[in-house]
Each structure stands twice: as C-alpha cells, then as structure tokens.
Amino acid sequence: MAVQTKRRVTGGVALVKALEAQGVRYVFGIPGVHTLEIYDALYDSDALSTVLPRHEQGAGFMADGYHRASGLPGVALTVTGPGVTNIATPLAQAFADSSRVLLIATNLERRYLGKLEGNLHEMTDQTAVVRPLVKWSYRVESADDILPAVTEAFKHLYTGRPRPVYVEIPLDVLEEETTFEPLDLVKPQPVPPAPHLVSRAAELLRQANRVFILAGGGAATEETAPLLRELAEELGAPVCTSLTGKGAIPEDHPYATGAFGYRWSPDNPIAFLMAASDLTIAIGTGLGIRTTAQGTMPLPTPLIHIDIDPDEIGKRYPAAVGIAADAALTLRALIEQVRAGARPADRWPVEEVQAVRRRILEPVDERTERYLPYLRALREALPRDGIIVNDMTMMCYEGVRYLPVYEPRTYLFPRGFGTLGSSLPTAIGAKLARPDRAVVSLNGDGGFQFTMEELGALAHYRLPVTVVIFNDSTHTAVKVAMRRSHPGRYLDVDLVNPDFVKIAEAYRIPAQRAGSPDQLTELLNHAVHGDGPMLIDVPIALERY
C-alpha cells in the first residue's frame, strides 16, 4: 500500500514512514541517545509497534525469529557502536540460516565519520564491521537518501537468497528535512525456472527407475511444502529432510522418512533408499558440508539440484540439471511435466519407505534411548502446528531425528552459525509473528544463561511462550566431546546454576519443575493452552561420564 502524504519531514520521520510503507509491524530495539529522532517518530506511528528486548543481541534474535516463523522481514534498530557489535552475532546467524532481517543502525555525525576524535561509540569503520554479515549494506548520506535506501533494502530482502541487509544513518541526517512522497510496497518477485532446464529435468525423470528426494530449508515454506507432497505422491518418491528442512513434509506422510538426524553417518537407515534409487532431486538445500558430512552422503546420481542461490548448485555435488529458481514455481512446473508423462519406471512401495521411517525412530544406542521419553513428552503436548524453537543443546540435537514435525515454519534451529542461547529471544519473535500458534522454547541450562535476561521482555509483553530448560548443570555437548577426545580430562564444563524457577517467579512468570517426562507433558499441556508465559525446569541426568 502506498503512503498518501507529501510533506517536509525530518529524516527520522522519513525512516518510520518508509518502514510503514513496506508493511512492517514490529521494530525490535533498545532506544538510546543516538536513536532519539527515530523513537520520537515511532511514538506517533499507528502502524508500527516497538518491542523492547533487554540486550541488542535479543533484538537481533527476535527479528530473526519473526522472519523464520512468518517469512516476512524482521526489523531491528540499534544505536551506534556497541549496539552494532552487540547485534553482530544474531546478524551472522541470520546470514548463515538465510533469514530476512533488516538492521538499521545510527552512526556518528557525518563530519566525524572515520576521524577518531574521541566521540561516544566511535569506531574506525562501523559499516566495515557489518558488511561481512549481510548481503547488502548502505550508508545514507542525506535525508533525501533515506526513502530510496529503505526501498532498496527491501528489494534486496526479497530478491535471491534470503539474507540480512543493513542501512546505516548518521545522526545529523536524522534531523535534516526531506520531502516525503508516496512509496510503493516492495513485493517478492519469485524467479521462475528456465523452461529448457525443466524439460531436461523431465527427461531425467523419464530415464529413472526410482527417485529419491532431499528437501532442505528452502522447501519448508507454506508455498513449497504442499507442492513437495504432490511431487512425492506423483513420483512415488521418499522424501528425506535436512535439519532445516523439517516441516517441508509432514513426518507422518506415507512418503516421509523424516530427517536423517543432526549428523549424517554411513549406517543411517536412509542410506538404503539412496542406494536403491538412481536419481536425486535436491530442493532448497546447498548440500553443505555439515548437511552431507563433508560430501560423504551417497546421493544417487544423476542429481537435479533446485536452489534459489546459483552459487550453491554444483558446488559440492555435480548437478546433471541445476535450476536456480524459486522452489515452489519449479516444483509446480515439474509436477506438470510428471502428469504429462515424465515418470520414472518404478515407484517406491510405501511399505518400504515406512519400514525405513520406523528404523529411523529406533534409538541408535542406550544413551539415545534415555532422551526419547522427553522428546515424546514434548510432541504429545504440542499441537501439530506448534512452533518448536531449538537451542544448541543435546535434547535438541537428538530431536532432529526423533521429534516429528508436521508443518512448515514450525521448527526453528540455529543450524548455520550454531549460536548458543538464541532460543528464548527467537521464540519471542516467532510468537509475535504467529500469535495464533503455540510456541515453545527449548533450552539447555548453559545456553539459557546467555540470554535469560529476555525473560524480562517475555514478562513485559505477557507473551504466551513456554520456556523449557533441560537442566543438568553442565555444558553437556562440550563435556561429551571432551569424554570422546580426552576421557576424564574435563575443564570448565560443570556449572553452578541459579534456581530458574525462582528467577522466572521474580519476573512474575509462572514456573514449575518437571521431575519426569509425564510431568513435562502435563505442565506443557497446561502452558500451551494458557494466555501468558510459563517456564518449566526439567532436571535431567542422561549422560554417563
């Protein structure tokens, strides 16, 4: 929708009006003396709501979570200097996991930039700090430049691979006047597949016997997921998902194998389906070294590789056909070809696919088996469309394989950058994006303490987010790694924790302790149907040292 005003306004007002014109609903940030002009303009906005985290890192994770749950850009606003360095980590995570995040930051007045004269929040080159973490960055040089800069930022957010962008505005620019004119809403422009590449892919399908499908994060969207199911059903092809692809197909679908797990290993049951197929369709995945275990995953050849990022196609696995295009448009075109006769010679029997699925859900060892009752307790209590926000913790690692997911954008994981402590603020952003969905934040006790100050934001807005802490007073993943590499030589991994229940209650957030998986299910059932936040502390002792 275009904003129907044309008048002289300050740079701060122009920025807010530009965000309104792009349909932004929330701005995540902490006000400071370097953003007063922007917050004064936000005060008068009827379209934008501000969300106050307790740390700029929280602002970045909230913006990221907002995107992951909705597909819409998340917008964060920070002050000069430490505001920017504080938000750098979540910005890097958004880059690694392909999230649409817009960071707006102020900088010193233009006359002081790069001068190092002892100013507050002074840096040698603030733009240079952010540039490696975004796909596009721009420093505004005048108030007249604000409107086109914001419009250009949204064009980059919606073009190509989703990744963060950055707009920097010197303080004196915010006080300058400019003429505000109506702005058009920037809309995504999905890239269609080249017809000749679709035809080549169809020919490979005709020549195949059985097809195997690997779906990544680019397939776990509301637009692509239904088409993925259709394609699997038309081809009789099993669909395995990567970690970020969970939700691309319901994991109780007849052709769904589920995710292979946090790491690939040669003994994975899905290897059987790969070995007995002679064509792979990889959708929305870069086939990165963490997904494919350094390229050792035995994907059937030839490979049809579909990804929005042309740089990822053929980078690690040679592609017989590489289609750099929108996944939904490409699947729709392929389905038309299949229905016109481009079918493989054989279909995978559903019984064989489901036999692999059952093997995937069997614990690989006695250690894994100890985690499963808690994962089953989580799944039993959550609605099918509940949003699960993971942290980098052992329960979440096991959940990749053993916690079923049924809908796109309901499984959020800091996969690419592996940021410890991101779950709680990410969950807050996700809840604001999807107030109709139950949202649960899964944490380990160590990681939770990285950002537990965001309980303050949760209490402030009384958001119905359920925080679950699996608590063994240890940085467990690191201690397990020490056990494997240097048995018995443990250093700085055991923790003296606070009483998380009392901390939550100090914020006036209801909190209880779950002493068993059954109690976890009971408490979580109550929490997800409540109208406010809740914290559940779950003492565990699942590892053996």
Side-chain angles (χ1 to χ4, degrees), residues 21-22 150-152 154-156 158 184-189:
Q22 299 308 327
V150 172
T151 301
E152 187 68 16
F154 276 84
K155 289 179 180 177
H156 282 279
Y158 282 125
D184 292 327
L185 176 67
V186 177
K187 297 180 180 179
Q189 301 293 328

Side-chain angles (χ1 to χ4, degrees), residues 252-271:
D252 54 2
H253 186 280
Y255 281 106
T257 69
F260 58 79
Y262 186 70
R263 291 184 176 88
W264 174 261
S265 60
D267 59 350
N268 195 288
I270 291 170

Side-chain angles (χ1 to χ4, degrees), residues 442-465:
L442 304 182
N443 305 266
D445 51 291
F448 181 68
Q449 292 178 79
F450 279 42
T451 56
M452 69 180 181
E453 71 275 359
E454 299 307 343
L455 287 174
L458 200 59
H460 187 148
Y461 298 101
R462 305 306 301 171
L463 291 171
V465 171

Side-chain angles (χ1 to χ4, degrees), residues 201-479:
E203 185 59 32
L204 289 179
L205 287 171
R206 289 189 188 94
Q207 297 170 6
N209 185 45
R210 286 183 176 179
V211 175
F212 176 81
I213 298 175
L214 178 63
T221 69
E222 295 89 339
E223 298 79 16
T224 305
L227 296 167
L228 176 62
R229 292 196 296 271
E230 284 187 44
L231 183 65
E233 291 162 3
E234 290 286 346
L235 296 175
V239 178
C240 170
T241 74
S242 68
L243 183 159
T244 57
K246 283 176 73 73
I249 188 169
E251 292 188 30
D252 54 2
H253 186 280
Y255 281 106
T257 69
F260 58 79
Y262 186 70
R263 291 184 176 88
W264 174 261
S265 60
D267 59 350
N268 195 288
I270 291 170
F272 164 74
L273 298 173
M274 294 180 178
S277 300
D278 57 359
L279 175 66
T280 296
I281 305 176
I283 306 162
T285 170
L287 300 175
I289 59 174
R290 292 189 69 197
T291 296
T292 63
Q294 311 288 334
T296 62
M297 180 183 284
L299 291 175
T301 56
L303 167 66
I304 299 171
H305 194 174
I306 303 164
D307 196 84
I308 192 62
D309 188 346
D311 291 338
E312 296 293 341
I313 293 175
K315 194 172 185 178
R316 282 159 289 271
Y317 285 78
V321 178
I323 303 177
D326 177 77
L329 293 180
T330 304
L331 293 192
R332 189 172 289 115
L334 277 179
I335 290 168
E336 290 176 3
Q337 292 282 337
V338 172
R339 289 175 177 163
R343 296 181 183 277
D346 197 9
R347 299 168 60 88
W348 273 98
V350 167
E351 297 78 14
E352 291 190 47
V353 177
Q354 287 305 296
V356 171
R357 172 67 179 155
R358 287 191 293 273
R359 287 183 59 203
I360 279 286
L361 292 177
E362 294 171 358
V364 296
D365 53 29
E366 183 260 345
R367 174 199 157 276
T368 300
E369 192 167 8
R370 294 194 288 270
Y371 283 84
L372 297 192
Y374 293 93
L375 294 169
R376 294 183 187 121
L378 288 167
R379 186 68 271 177
E380 182 179 345
L382 282 174
R384 283 179 69 90
D385 65 355
I387 296 175
I388 301 163
V389 185
N390 296 271
D391 210 324
M392 299 294 289
T393 188
M394 297 299 283
M395 191 67 68
C396 296
Y397 302 153
E398 297 294 341
V400 177
R401 180 165 172 172
Y402 298 106
L403 181 60
V405 175
Y406 305 110
E407 299 288 342
R409 298 197 184 280
T410 62
Y411 188 80
L412 314 186
F413 203 110
R415 172 59 164 174
F417 210 52
T419 310
L420 197 62
S422 63
S423 177
L424 173 55
T426 302
I428 291 172
K431 185 63 183 181
L432 289 167
R434 297 305 305 261
D436 57 318
R437 300 278 181 92
V439 176
V440 59
S441 165
L442 304 182
N443 305 266
D445 51 291
F448 181 68
Q449 292 178 79
F450 279 42
T451 56
M452 69 180 181
E453 71 275 359
E454 299 307 343
L455 287 174
L458 200 59
H460 187 148
Y461 298 101
R462 305 306 301 171
L463 291 171
V465 171
T466 305
V467 180
V468 179
I469 304 169
F470 293 102
N471 184 356
D472 59 3
S473 298
T474 307
H475 282 303
T476 310
V478 182
K479 192 169 185 178

